[in-house]
Amino acid sequence: MTPGQVQGMDGRTRDKSRAADTGRAAGTSRVPCTGRVPGTSRAAARSRARWLARAPRRVLAPLNTLGLRWKIAALLAAGCAVVAVAIGLLIHQARLDQVGASARSGATAQLVRVRQLYELTGQVDQDGTRDGTRAALDAPGLPEPLRAAALAGRRGTYLDMESGDPAVWAARPVGDRVLSVRLPLREQADEMAEFDRQLLVSGAVVVALAALGGAALASRLSRDLRAAAAIARRISQGDLDARIGHPLPPGFRHGRNEVADLATAVDTMAATLQRRLEAEQRFTADVAHELRTPLTGLHTAAELLPPSRPTELVRDRVCALRALTEDLLEVARLDADVERPDLDVHPLGALVEGMAQRGLFAGQSTDRGVRFASTGERLVRTDARRLERILANLVGNARRHGGDPVDLSVDGAVVTVRDHGPGFPEHLLREGPQRFETGARERGQGTGLGLTIALGQAAVVGARVELANAPDGGAVAVVRLPEA
């Protein structure tokens, strides 16, 4: 029984709205419903439908910007809030029904006593009692639904907890008049208000504790996932010894701990990848090492051939094969991470100029299309032999695959090698140099090891090689060295 309803003694109820609806039935016209809102076009209806369809995404958009930890905490808090509100409403309604039933029972009992007194004395004590209970005949403040029920010959009660002066009424017919009793419920209303406040505070505490618990629980999950992501990034950068090493709980079974499953899968993938790459590196090193002995004999035999054009071709191919073998051995050493630099402090401009003047860049001296320029002398800490190897590969790559002239310039602690050819292919700039891949067909033929060795030696000495294409054409390789 909700507040504002009339309850008869036979259990039947009547709502105030029924009487009001009955009063409005006469003289009230209704507009027939045709299924269309007047003045609304189809375009407006479609626009409103699209807005309603996008509403869930707009509501969830702020949640998508949060991290996993806060998403879990927010969803857990929202779920607990919904449960707390539902339980709070049920408890509130149960308590309200209890208070209402007690008030109705008290009002009915008081009405019985007043009626007995009225039958004995013919009078009704209208002065009231200490608790504010008042009895009257045809009381002016009697609710109309209760008055109508009494005039119809039924005894009933009327509970009003929502008004500024909460009370419960009980009435019954006495002849052609209505005898009523009114009991004030201010104390019960205050008690319900305090009860609702306690429910609200308790619900807020539960939601806050749930949010904190969800955040703490999700924090560990988020931390494990971030650790897994960091290890995956280290593996992608070449650190094949990196492992997550997530501790497995006692009695672990796959599928019951998703984070442990993820950690085990990533560690297994890293171990498998490491074994395959190490096998590939050992194969490359073994092949290059085994080729050195027969190539040395082949080179000696070629030198003993009589001078002729075929002899020159044989010697040229033998030299190319020996250079390829040495490059393979160097790549194998770089992959194995066994190279150790001999670092020293050098003036970069003078060092590179001496290399260029001595023609140490694989025979690419300044009188054969290599132009040198230096500005802003700086001291750098590097390995001169390995720097020479880096620049020799970059200059040789520019002469072989680019176009003359090749510019070699030093600016501070930066060395730039630029050619005027077709430039680097886009996939090389995007993915980096690949072994035995020269890139674009227009850049000529080769083994594709020059740039790989240059980047590997740069990593050994702590330098950085950046590859790009000049806006007006040509490939640009920039070597940035650490200053002393």
Side-chain angles (χ1 to χ4, degrees):
M1 186 67 59
T2 59
Q5 286 184 334
V6 180
Q7 183 180 31
M9 296 308 294
D10 56 355
R12 290 177 296 177
T13 62
R14 292 191 176 188
D15 198 297
K16 290 187 295 183
S17 60
R18 181 179 301 176
D21 290 342
T22 303
R24 289 196 302 266
T28 303
S29 62
R30 295 186 178 181
V31 179
C33 180
T34 62
R36 181 181 301 175
V37 179
T40 303
S41 65
R42 292 182 179 180
R46 287 194 298 268
S47 176
R48 185 162 52 251
R50 286 194 297 269
W51 185 90
L52 292 175
R54 290 194 295 265
R57 284 181 291 177
R58 286 194 295 268
V59 172
L60 295 177
L63 189 62
N64 294 332
T65 61
L66 300 176
L68 178 62
R69 175 176 58 181
W70 298 113
K71 283 182 181 179
I72 294 177
L75 291 176
L76 186 58
C80 289
V82 171
V83 173
V85 169
I87 294 177
L89 290 176
L90 291 176
I91 295 176
H92 168 84
Q93 189 61 41
R95 178 59 178 163
L96 185 61
D97 290 343
Q98 182 182 7
V99 172
S102 176
R104 291 178 189 275
S105 176
T108 301
Q110 186 67 23
L111 179 63
V112 170
R113 289 193 293 269
V114 171
R115 174 179 172 273
Q116 293 174 348
L117 179 63
Y118 178 74
E119 289 178 349
L120 292 175
T121 64
Q123 294 180 353
V124 175
D125 185 7
Q126 300 183 2
D127 294 336
T129 61
R130 295 179 181 178
D131 59 358
T133 302
R134 293 181 179 275
L137 286 171
D138 296 329
L142 185 66
E144 289 301 323
L146 183 59
R147 184 188 300 275
L151 292 177
R154 295 191 303 274
R155 186 177 66 183
T157 60
Y158 183 91
L159 181 66
D160 180 12
M161 296 288 289
E162 304 298 331
S163 66
D165 187 15
V168 60
W169 292 80
R172 62 164 297 146
V174 177
D176 57 352
R177 305 182 71 181
V178 176
L179 178 63
S180 63
V181 173
R182 180 184 182 277
L183 275 70
L185 298 179
R186 168 55 58 190
E187 183 178 350
Q188 290 83 346
D190 293 341
E191 179 186 349
M192 282 299 302
E194 180 63 25
F195 184 73
D196 290 342
R197 281 193 294 270
Q198 292 178 359
L199 284 179
L200 183 61
V201 172
S202 301
V205 171
V206 169
V207 171
L209 291 177
L212 292 177
L217 180 65
S219 178
R220 181 174 180 179
L221 174 63
S222 178
R223 183 171 61 252
D224 291 342
L225 293 178
R226 286 197 301 269
I231 294 298
R233 283 191 291 268
R234 286 174 56 189
I235 294 173
S236 67
Q237 294 169 0
D239 185 5
L240 299 181
D241 293 324
R243 297 291 186 273
I244 298 176
H246 190 279
L248 299 181
F252 168 76
R253 293 182 182 178
H254 287 284
R256 294 190 177 183
N257 190 324
E258 291 78 5
V259 176
D261 281 342
L262 174 63
T264 303
V266 172
D267 288 348
T268 303
M269 177 197 68
T272 303
L273 181 62
Q274 184 178 26
R275 286 195 297 270
R276 291 183 179 181
L277 290 180
E278 288 176 349
E280 178 185 343
Q281 293 169 5
R282 285 195 301 270
F283 175 78
T284 302
D286 292 344
V287 168
H289 182 74
E290 292 299 327
L291 285 176
R292 295 184 74 179
T293 300
L295 280 176
T296 301
L298 185 59
H299 178 73
T300 303
E303 293 296 329
L304 298 177
L305 293 175
S308 64
R309 178 59 180 168
T311 298
E312 294 178 358
L313 293 177
V314 170
R315 290 175 179 174
D316 180 69
R317 292 298 88 196
V318 169
C319 290
L321 190 55
R322 288 189 67 183
L324 174 59
T325 303
E326 295 298 328
D327 287 347
L328 287 174
L329 284 172
E330 186 173 359
V331 169
R333 290 194 300 270
L334 291 172
D335 287 341
D337 197 20
V338 297
E339 295 288 308
R340 296 295 178 265
D342 182 14
L343 299 177
D344 200 358
V345 177
H346 301 275
L348 183 59
L351 180 63
V352 176
E353 183 178 10
M355 294 177 185
Q357 289 178 351
R358 293 193 305 271
L360 297 180
F361 296 148
Q364 309 296 332
S365 61
T366 53
D367 59 353
R368 296 184 59 188
V370 179
R371 302 184 302 191
F372 175 78
S374 177
T375 58
E377 185 70 82
R378 293 285 181 85
L379 294 177
V380 296
R381 185 174 181 81
T382 187
D383 186 332
R385 182 179 63 83
R386 296 182 188 277
L387 178 60
E388 176 189 330
R389 179 66 166 150
I390 296 170
L391 296 181
N393 279 8
L394 294 178
V395 172
N397 184 79
R399 290 299 307 275
R400 188 179 303 112
H401 304 298
D404 290 335
V406 175
D407 295 326
L408 177 65
S409 60
V410 178
D411 184 5
V414 178
V415 182
T416 302
V417 179
R418 176 188 175 180
D419 62 44
H420 292 77
F424 293 117
E426 290 299 326
H427 72 86
L428 186 145
L429 297 177
R430 183 175 60 255
E431 302 172 3
Q434 304 294 323
R435 300 170 188 179
F436 300 104
E437 182 178 340
T438 58
R441 181 175 301 176
E442 61 270 16
R443 287 184 65 83
Q445 302 298 321
T447 62
L449 296 178
L451 291 178
T452 302
I453 293 174
L455 268 67
Q457 293 289 3
V460 172
V461 299
R464 187 172 73 252
V465 178
E466 300 172 357
L467 305 178
N469 287 329
D472 55 348
V476 178
V478 179
V479 183
R480 300 183 184 277
L481 296 162
E483 297 186 19

